[in-house]
Amino acid sequence: IDKLAMQTLIAEEAVKKGLDKSADVVDQIDLTRQSILANAYVQDLMKTSAASEEALKAEYEKIKATITGTEYRARHILVEKEADAKEIIAKLKKDPGLFEKLAMEKSKDTGSKAKGGELGWFDLSRMVPEFGAAASKLEKGAITQEPVKTQFGYHVIQLEDSRPIEAPPFEEVKPQLAQHLQQQTVQKQMEELKSKAKIEIAGAPAPAAAAAAAAPAPAAK
């Protein structure tokens, strides 16, 4: 409140001194007014451009049609040395049921170790190429027969399942769709306004011309 009161008092003094008539100040006031009005226009446009339920569903179906591919669910055991990975594979050949136990004991991946190497569902784009390629070649329940080397070390992978990638439910993504369509509407309106307007950009005078204009006129003889 004190800051606002002081600002008001100073502004009043500026008017008394006629500073509100200064060309620089007038320009700044005009720019501020334009900025406030432009923001008000956009906010008003956003209020009136809410997409209908039908438009949202149509956009959802359009995006849904582009979603393709497969996602995988797997476990892994990550170790530093290839020899350690081969030893683990040898044990799993005798008893595949040891995978979870060995992951908890041997894996250096702290994110999945406590869960028996469980990685959950993922698409290949989330994994380093070597890991993704190896996982995608496995049959359900199968374990890699050779260590898979990546930048993180050596992996032993077990594929638990795979399924086609599905779009999230409509209601779950509805707010994002509404925002997306609203932004499209606003952008379209901005482009229409620009296309109908005649915009001229006045460049600054050339340096030589500016210098000549600023130079004093020669004295008459």
Side-chain angles (χ1 to χ4, degrees):
I1 293 174
D2 287 343
K3 185 177 179 181
L4 182 60
M6 199 68 227
Q7 179 177 283
T8 302
L9 290 171
I10 294 172
E12 289 175 351
E13 289 300 310
V15 172
K16 289 178 182 178
K17 294 187 71 172
L19 296 178
D20 58 321
K21 302 296 191 296
S22 165
D24 288 344
V25 174
V26 169
D27 286 345
Q28 291 181 53
I29 292 174
D30 285 344
L31 286 173
T32 301
R33 179 175 179 274
Q34 288 177 13
S35 177
I36 292 171
L37 286 172
N39 287 332
Y41 177 82
V42 171
Q43 293 300 320
D44 180 69
L45 183 59
M46 290 180 70
K47 289 178 184 178
T48 59
S49 61
S52 66
E53 189 78 3
E54 292 75 15
L56 290 173
K57 288 182 178 179
E59 183 69 12
Y60 174 74
E61 291 299 327
K62 185 168 69 174
I63 294 173
K64 185 178 177 180
T66 66
I67 298 176
T68 58
T70 304
E71 60 181 354
Y72 303 85
R73 184 177 179 182
R75 293 180 183 272
H76 83 139
I77 301 170
L78 175 64
V79 292
E80 188 173 348
K81 299 178 180 179
E82 184 178 14
D84 293 337
K86 287 185 174 181
E87 183 180 340
I88 290 169
I89 290 172
K91 290 180 180 180
L92 291 172
K93 284 181 179 179
K94 295 177 182 178
D95 186 0
L98 289 174
F99 199 102
E100 186 174 348
K101 179 175 181 293
L102 289 173
M104 296 176 75
E105 292 176 356
K106 307 286 187 181
S107 184
K108 69 173 188 174
D109 177 12
T110 55
S112 66
K113 180 175 182 176
K115 298 180 288 186
E118 176 64 58
L119 294 170
W121 288 100
F122 59 87
D123 63 70
L124 298 183
S125 65
R126 286 179 47 200
M127 300 298 178
V128 290
E130 301 89 346
F131 188 102
S136 65
K137 293 175 183 176
L138 292 173
E139 297 291 334
K140 182 177 178 179
I143 298 169
T144 48
Q145 297 301 296
E146 294 293 333
V148 178
K149 184 180 180 181
T150 72
Q151 66 197 70
F152 304 107
Y154 292 87
H155 305 257
V156 180
I157 307 168
Q158 181 181 41
L159 181 66
E160 296 184 286
D161 205 355
S162 63
R163 65 187 182 189
I165 297 175
E166 296 182 356
F170 172 69
E171 291 299 328
E172 183 179 317
V173 295
K174 185 176 177 180
Q176 290 89 343
L177 290 172
Q179 184 180 34
H180 173 66
L181 290 181
Q182 188 179 56
Q183 289 173 345
Q184 280 189 337
T185 300
V186 171
Q187 183 62 32
K188 183 179 179 181
Q189 180 65 20
M190 298 299 102
E191 290 173 357
E192 287 181 1
L193 286 174
K194 188 174 180 179
S195 66
K196 293 176 181 178
K198 183 180 180 182
I199 300 174
E200 295 180 356
I201 300 175
K221 293 183 180 181

